[in-house]
Amino acid sequence: MEAKEEIYQYIRKNIKEDGVTAQSIAEIFGIKRNVASHYLNLLEKEGKLQKGTNRPVHFSIPTDTEKKAEECNNMIDERPAAQKEVSVFSKFIGYNGSMEQVIEKCKAAVNYPVNGLTMIICGASGVGKSYLASLIHQYAVESGAVEKNAPFVVLNCADYANNSELLSSVLFGHVKGAFTGANEEKQGLLAEADGGYLFLDEVHNLSAENQEKLFLFIDSQKYRMLGDSKNWQTAKVRLLFATTEDIHSTLLATFRRRIPFEIRIPDFLERSYGERFLLVSSFFQNEAEILKKNICVDSEYFRRMLNLHEEGNIGAVKSKIKVLCAQAYSQQREEELRITTPGKESSDSFHFYWNRPEKKKWMSSYQIFSNITGCFVPGMNYSKIEEVLDLFLQTITRRLEENKKENNFCEIPPFRHYEEKCRNSINKILKSYGYRLNELEIDEFYKMVIAVLFDETFFGAAFKISGYEKKKYRKYEVMISRILDAVLEDYNDNVREFLQTILTVWLSDKVKVKSKINALILMHGEHSASSMASLANEMIGDYVYEAFDMPIQVHTEDLIVKVNDYVRDIETNEGLVLLVDMGSLERMYDKISCNVDGDLVIVNNVSTAFALELGFSLFDKADIYRITQMDMSQFNMKMQYYKGLSQKPNIIVSCISGEGIAVEIKEILSRYVNTDEIDILTMDYSELKKQLNRGSAEDFHNTIVVFTTTPLSSTVVPVMNVEDLVNGFTNPSFPEFMLNKENVREFTNDIIKLFTLKGVASRLRFLNPEVVMQEVDQVIRGYENYYHVQLPNFLRINLFLHTSTMIERVLVKEESGKIDSIDTEGINEESRKFIEVSKDIFKSIMMKYKIEISDAEYLLLYQILQSVIQK
């Protein structure tokens, strides 16, 4: 389904009379606002939506359209059987998943006027090519494309691979005397299939001569019997081919050209988890019906079937299951056959059941989650995922409510299995981190797991998570990873990675990690560190500590390697605390501190009492300085402390309004600064102010400059106010090794655009502010290049704000009060020249947005720039 149609269906099913805006659709589907606006306007032109007159514009379903749709739905059951939707392809598992496009091609080939279109089905042995061919024939019969008694004739060309003449006889028939032994005339399969379908399997075994005869038949529906060079025979036959080979290397180009539709069926292990589950389930259910026995399979064996790698693909899985059931039937006399992993007899391991009396209605329930993960699109980061999680959960809830009409969701065995796993595992694991989820939250977690597992259309999404986000969400990711280890057992495909990502974001909203400084307990012994960290976290009620359990014989050097690997994955701007039971603090300190951005504290002879006292301090957001002032005498411990924000030259960025802006400034700086040589650190504003007020130059002995968005004074380190920089009240001064003069201007320009973007975003209603900013930047550069000037910062900001809103205003045909005061009659030579230059500068923007900018608008820009360009 194309994006436009998906949006329409979503609006029709979920949105009432209030309608939707382009912004709301952009957020729901994870697309840009202008793209959403484009789709909505197309739907409005098609008559599917109506557009409101208020701002922002709302789109809704026309009343008469919705009424007609309801009438149509009510009439479905009253239509004659011939007019009802044909659903024969629903027997093919994956018909609305990985096989959806294949099925659409099959339908198109069947429904093509007169005699349909020829198709070739490609795929490895055992993927279901013959079965699909039989469904195509059934579809043609049920849709009326062929007569009800239309034949379906099958020939495996491999049976005649070494005798092309005999194959020719079988296909086209032969006359008496055509070859030795041809004592009478005999019709071929083309004649037998007249009015129906001829399915040629392993078609790559056709000789070149027989391929030529067949493409002649495709062109004309005529053929000659073997041994007859005069008389033409005719037949109305639809051809289906199948092959396991590459058709480009095995079939003539002239033959391939006669086959409009080439489709491929994926291998068993290329199918989604949901599709593989349905395939395996259907095979066990078939055996239950054949053997007239209930069948129970333990989870481990079931997973083996889901991940079975056999040359015969789906056919091999089916055969394997048949053998397992046959053996169980032979060896067991109970009403219920049990299939277990060898050596595993516990009844607790049985999780999957198939009942013989009738095909369970709940088998179809696995498909209620089809396409449910479509709200997650490639390229999403954690913040974008967070925006669509509510929609995802709402969709799950709605589908489950709809399914309740036919089935008790909670009683479906595999779903029940995962529900039990979640309820038995989640809080046991979270307890060791100091947290607990309530029943409703566990239910949400469980439903998201099964929705992803049983979305047969799911094949993963390439999320784009930055290194900064990975560090920020790391502790949530660790907790989710442990939970999934318990819930999913040994599933290791892209489903796991997808769940890991979305559930990490989900958990970050359910539990809040309060301690900002990472702390690590390292102890020798199988569970020593884990036990201490778990106890401390549980008592503190926060994920304060992580633990490394070290073998007794491990050397300090091995421990250092392990810690440094850990340090690379965490944020250490706030500092790092290591609690160890033994080892040389000095040796550890020297090898670890160089990889830590903030302060490093290492404490020896760790005890549970000290871990708790320190943990409560970290929970209360104590900084490293406060930790170093703790009274150590009562614990008989030794501490080593590295004072200083970073081992390397560094720049500190701090924003009083929150971490977001500071991170964005850091990202801009990283484009111009060699981050291998210079650290760029973000700090909480109040913490930075506190450290500066202490006046300790040692803390900032490697700091080059501090960037803040709020005035801040210091005698120990240079401070640069970003607002002064944006407003043009100061110019940045950096050491040459850090930024050269050319880069200083580019950096300043990027900072201006960053802050201007916030202003632009608040003013624009339709256009994407980030895109417009780039376009306005080119406009400003155009004026600077033409007039050989460098616009001062305050003027650049003015232009960013004015020009971006002007483009949108012209686009939506809104009037501006300032335009009325512009005298377009009194244009002099200089201002006329400015208009001509401006038209050239704005040419690409006018073409893109299909707008015309008036002379009055250009003259308004001229007034803004006049004082600079006339110098």
Side-chain angles (χ1 to χ4, degrees):
M1 186 185 295
E2 63 177 280
K4 181 185 69 173
E5 186 61 24
E6 285 186 11
I7 291 172
Y8 173 65
Q9 291 300 331
Y10 175 82
I11 295 172
R12 196 171 69 82
K13 293 176 182 177
N14 299 285
I15 306 300
K16 303 305 178 185
E17 62 274 1
D18 292 341
V20 297
T21 64
Q23 181 62 37
S24 64
I25 289 297
E27 291 173 355
I28 290 168
F29 285 88
I31 57 180
K32 291 186 178 179
R33 184 170 55 182
N34 60 335
V35 175
S37 177
H38 170 71
Y39 286 136
L40 291 170
N41 280 294
L42 285 178
L43 289 167
E44 190 261 339
K45 289 179 180 178
E46 294 172 6
K48 293 182 177 179
L49 298 180
Q50 63 184 9
K51 184 188 291 190
T53 55
N54 296 330
R55 300 287 182 181
V57 176
H58 281 68
F59 294 81
S60 57
I61 300 289
T63 306
D64 57 339
T65 302
E66 191 62 28
K67 187 175 179 182
K68 287 178 183 177
E70 273 186 38
E71 291 172 354
C72 184
N73 287 333
N74 293 333
M75 293 171 59
I76 287 178
D77 291 331
E78 301 173 4
R79 288 180 292 171
Q83 296 179 9
K84 288 187 178 180
E85 182 183 353
V86 178
S87 59
V88 63
F89 285 115
S90 63
K91 299 175 185 177
F92 199 94
I93 291 173
Y95 76 98
N96 60 350
S98 64
M99 296 295 296
E100 183 176 16
Q101 295 302 316
V102 167
I103 298 303
E104 290 304 313
K105 286 184 177 181
C106 292
K107 291 179 179 179
V110 169
N111 293 324
Y112 192 79
V114 185
N115 203 35
L117 293 174
T118 304
M119 296 181 65
I120 185 165
I121 307 170
C122 303
S125 177
V127 295
K129 299 187 295 296
S130 298
Y131 181 53
L132 179 60
S134 69
L135 292 180
I136 292 171
H137 170 252
Q138 290 180 44
Y139 175 77
V141 170
E142 293 186 13
S143 64
V146 297
E147 298 295 330
K148 287 186 178 180
N149 59 350
F152 179 64
V153 180
V154 179
L155 173 66
N156 191 324
C157 299
D159 295 340
Y160 302 91
N162 298 320
N163 195 331
S164 60
E165 187 177 65
L166 182 57
L167 178 57
S168 183
S169 170
V170 170
L171 279 174
F172 304 104
H174 63 262
V175 296
K176 184 178 180 180
F179 52 85
T180 303
N183 298 323
E184 59 182 19
E185 182 177 298
K186 185 177 181 181
Q187 295 291 321
L189 295 183
L190 280 176
E192 185 180 336
D194 192 14
Y197 274 88
L198 174 59
F199 172 50
L200 300 183
D201 201 0
E202 303 295 351
V203 71
H204 56 273
N205 287 292
L206 282 178
S207 65
E209 181 183 2
N210 282 327
Q211 289 183 46
E212 290 171 353
K213 290 179 181 179
L214 271 180
F215 77 61
L216 177 63
F217 174 75
I218 294 171
D219 288 344
S220 64
Q221 295 289 289
K222 294 180 179 180
Y223 65 95
R224 283 195 173 106
M225 299 174 69
L226 189 65
D228 187 353
S229 60
K230 296 181 180 180
N231 302 307
W232 288 100
Q233 309 294 322
T234 61
K236 189 177 180 182
V237 177
R238 294 170 177 240
L239 293 174
L240 284 175
F241 303 125
T243 181
T244 56
E245 304 295 324
D246 175 24
I247 65 172
H248 296 279
S249 60
T250 57
L251 301 180
L252 298 174
T254 49
F255 185 56
R256 295 198 309 272
R257 286 200 297 270
R258 267 74 177 185
I259 308 173
F261 281 109
E262 174 192 343
I263 62 175
R264 179 183 177 274
I265 302 180
D267 290 353
F268 178 65
L269 291 180
E270 291 178 323
R271 298 289 197 102
S272 68
Y273 175 89
E275 288 183 11
R276 282 182 280 138
F277 186 97
L278 288 173
L279 285 164
V280 172
S281 294
S282 66
F283 297 151
F284 275 116
Q285 176 62 34
N286 289 338
E287 293 305 314
E289 293 174 3
I290 293 170
L291 300 174
K292 295 183 171 56
K293 296 274 189 180
N294 297 340
I295 297 177
C296 306
V297 182
D298 76 20
S299 58
E300 186 174 338
Y301 223 113
F302 190 79
R303 289 197 307 277
R304 286 190 184 184
M305 294 300 102
L306 289 179
N307 298 290
L308 193 64
H309 181 62
E310 296 280 348
E311 186 177 346
N313 270 288
I314 298 170
V317 176
K318 184 177 182 180
S319 297
K320 183 79 171 177
I321 289 172
K322 186 175 286 291
V323 170
L324 287 172
C325 294
Q327 290 173 339
Y329 182 78
S330 175
Q331 297 166 4
Q332 301 174 30
R333 292 292 176 264
E334 293 80 7
E335 178 62 23
E336 202 167 76
L337 302 182
R338 294 192 168 196
I339 298 174
T340 65
T341 305
K344 190 175 184 180
E345 302 297 335
S346 171
S347 61
D348 293 338
S349 66
F350 292 95
H351 298 297
F352 300 98
Y353 306 82
W354 289 269
N355 297 70
R356 66 174 175 80
E358 61 177 345
K359 197 155 190 173
K360 281 284 187 182
K361 288 182 180 179
W362 50 256
M363 287 292 291
S364 63
S365 296
Y366 298 131
Q367 297 173 340
I368 63 176
F369 296 120
S370 183
N371 284 309
I372 203 164
T373 54
C375 56
F376 299 100
V377 297
M380 279 185 164
N381 58 14
Y382 279 141
S383 59
K384 292 293 183 184
I385 292 169
E386 187 175 15
E387 291 174 9
V388 299
L389 266 179
D390 282 345
L391 170 65
F392 182 51
L393 282 164
Q394 289 168 15
T395 308
I396 293 172
T397 301
R398 188 184 73 249
R399 293 200 190 180
L400 292 180
E401 286 297 321
E402 293 169 353
N403 188 64
K404 275 185 180 178
K405 297 172 185 176
E406 296 184 4
N407 303 295
N408 184 350
F409 178 80
C410 297
E411 293 304 313
I412 299 174
F415 294 167
R416 187 172 66 242
H417 164 66
Y418 286 111
E419 182 180 22
E420 291 171 359
K421 281 279 187 182
C422 289
R423 296 198 182 283
N424 292 337
S425 304
I426 291 175
N427 278 335
K428 283 183 182 178
I429 292 168
L430 289 181
K431 180 181 178 182
S432 64
Y433 297 102
Y435 308 115
R436 181 179 180 82
L437 297 182
N438 61 40
E439 291 294 314
L440 290 176
E441 290 168 337
I442 292 175
D443 194 53
E444 273 191 12
F445 185 101
Y446 146 67
K447 287 176 180 177
M448 285 190 284
V449 168
I450 59 169
V452 174
L453 288 179
F454 294 100
D455 179 359
E456 62 201 72
T457 64
F458 172 80
F459 286 92
F463 294 132
K464 192 174 182 180
I465 312 300
S466 67
Y468 165 74
E469 282 190 315
K470 289 287 284 184
K471 290 182 177 181
K472 180 180 177 182
Y473 285 82
R474 184 184 177 281
K475 288 189 174 181
Y476 302 105
E477 185 178 346
V478 169
M479 290 186 280
I480 289 297
S481 181
R482 279 195 60 194
I483 293 171
L484 291 180
D485 285 342
V487 171
L488 297 185
E489 292 147 335
D490 63 353
Y491 298 120
N492 292 314
D493 54 14
N494 55 3
V495 172
R496 165 64 185 257
E497 184 178 347
F498 182 87
L499 278 170
Q500 176 78 57
T501 305
I502 67 168
L503 290 173
T504 292
V505 178
W506 175 84
L507 186 65
S508 70
D509 185 54
K510 304 303 175 185
V511 302
K512 296 298 180 184
V513 178
K514 296 182 180 178
S515 53
K516 289 189 175 182
I517 296 176
N518 285 289
L520 180 62
I521 299 177
L522 302 100
M523 298 180 70
H524 295 78
E526 192 173 354
H527 302 296
S528 302
S530 297
S531 297
M532 184 180 291
S534 177
L535 175 63
N537 288 338
E538 184 181 350
M539 294 185 70
I540 296 165
D542 193 37
Y543 186 172
V544 176
Y545 291 111
E546 296 198 53
F548 283 176
D549 295 308
M550 311 297 294
I552 295 295
Q553 68 277 13
V554 74
H555 298 293
T556 301
E557 292 300 323
D558 297 327
L559 187 148
I560 290 169
V561 170
K562 193 172 181 69
V563 173
N564 278 331
D565 287 341
Y566 163 76
V567 166
R568 293 185 186 98
D569 293 332
I570 64 171
E571 184 62 67
T572 57
N573 286 345
E574 302 280 348
L576 175 66
V577 177
L578 302 183
L579 304 185
V580 299
D581 59 347
M582 65 181 77
S584 167
L585 294 189
E586 288 75 17
R587 286 172 60 197
M588 292 176 61
Y589 193 86
D590 292 339
K591 297 291 182 65
I592 296 172
S593 57
C594 59
N595 294 312
V596 178
D597 292 328
D599 291 340
L600 173 65
V601 172
I602 304 181
V603 182
N604 212 338
N605 301 323
V606 61
S607 66
T608 302
F610 179 75
L612 283 170
E613 179 145 339
L614 173 63
F616 277 113
S617 294
L618 293 173
F619 178 70
D620 289 336
K621 300 183 180 178
D623 59 19
I624 292 288
Y625 179 79
R626 198 170 113 199
I627 290 168
T628 61
Q629 305 308 305
M630 291 175 63
D631 181 10
M632 306 291 292
S633 60
Q634 58 178 314
F635 300 107
N636 190 28
M637 305 174 78
K638 181 181 178 184
M639 175 185 292
Q640 182 151 344
Y641 167 50
Y642 168 72
K643 195 172 184 63
L645 295 168
S646 175
Q647 290 276 352
K648 298 188 292 188
N650 62 83
I651 301 169
I652 298 171
V653 183
S654 183
C655 177
I656 196 170
S657 60
E659 189 178 31
I661 292 294
V663 171
E664 291 185 59
I665 295 173
K666 175 180 176 179
E667 289 178 354
I668 292 173
L669 269 169
S670 65
R671 299 174 200 159
Y672 302 100
V673 173
N674 184 348
T675 53
D676 291 333
E677 298 178 359
I678 301 174
D679 282 340
I680 305 173
L681 313 176
T682 58
M683 282 188 70
D684 177 74
Y685 180 79
S686 58
E687 176 59 29
L688 173 63
K689 189 174 182 180
K690 190 189 304 180
Q691 289 204 35
L692 288 173
N693 288 340
R694 284 205 295 261
S696 175
E698 191 176 350
D699 284 350
F700 299 93
H701 72 278
N702 277 331
T703 302
I704 301 168
V705 65
V706 173
F707 279 95
T708 71
T709 55
T710 305
L712 193 63
S713 60
S714 171
T715 58
V716 298
V717 66
V719 177
M720 184 172 293
N721 184 354
V722 176
E723 290 188 14
D724 287 345
L725 179 66
V726 170
N727 293 325
F729 300 146
T730 185
N731 289 312
S733 177
F734 300 107
E736 184 67 25
F737 76 90
M738 180 178 147
L739 281 180
N740 58 39
K741 291 180 180 179
E742 182 179 344
N743 284 343
V744 166
R745 175 163 179 77
E746 293 297 324
F747 163 72
T748 306
N749 193 37
D750 284 346
I751 291 292
I752 291 170
K753 284 195 287 184
L754 167 65
F755 280 85
T756 309
L757 180 59
K758 308 300 177 184
V760 170
S762 66
R763 289 166 172 79
L764 294 179
R765 292 173 295 171
F766 307 109
L767 297 179
N768 185 324
E770 293 185 9
V771 174
V772 175
M773 288 289 288
Q774 296 299 323
E775 293 166 344
V776 174
D777 183 52
Q778 292 303 312
V779 168
I780 293 173
R781 290 175 186 269
Y783 284 126
E784 286 182 326
N785 291 335
Y786 182 83
Y787 287 102
H788 304 291
V789 296
Q790 285 191 347
L791 303 182
N793 292 343
F794 74 94
L795 186 54
R796 297 176 68 82
I797 293 172
N798 194 359
L799 277 174
F800 272 123
L801 294 172
H802 173 83
T803 310
S804 58
T805 51
M806 181 264 282
I807 293 170
E808 183 174 274
R809 179 163 41 77
V810 173
L811 181 63
V812 298
K813 297 181 172 58
E814 284 186 355
E815 297 295 331
S816 168
K818 292 183 180 180
I819 293 296
D820 296 335
S821 62
I822 298 296
D823 180 14
T824 56
E825 299 298 326
I827 299 177
N828 58 29
E829 183 178 348
E830 186 176 348
S831 56
R832 187 178 299 280
K833 182 64 176 177
F834 179 86
I835 292 173
E836 294 303 315
V837 170
S838 298
K839 287 180 178 178
D840 186 57
I841 290 173
F842 277 90
K843 185 176 181 180
S844 61
I845 291 176
M846 289 191 289
M847 291 178 63
K848 175 181 177 179
Y849 295 106
K850 295 181 173 54
I851 59 175
E852 286 293 332
I853 299 175
S854 67
D855 288 353
E857 294 283 5
Y858 291 132
L859 288 174
L860 187 55
L861 278 171
Y862 179 71
Q863 287 185 358
I864 296 172
L865 288 167
Q866 191 172 12
S867 62
V868 176
I869 63 178
Q870 286 184 340
K871 290 182 179 180

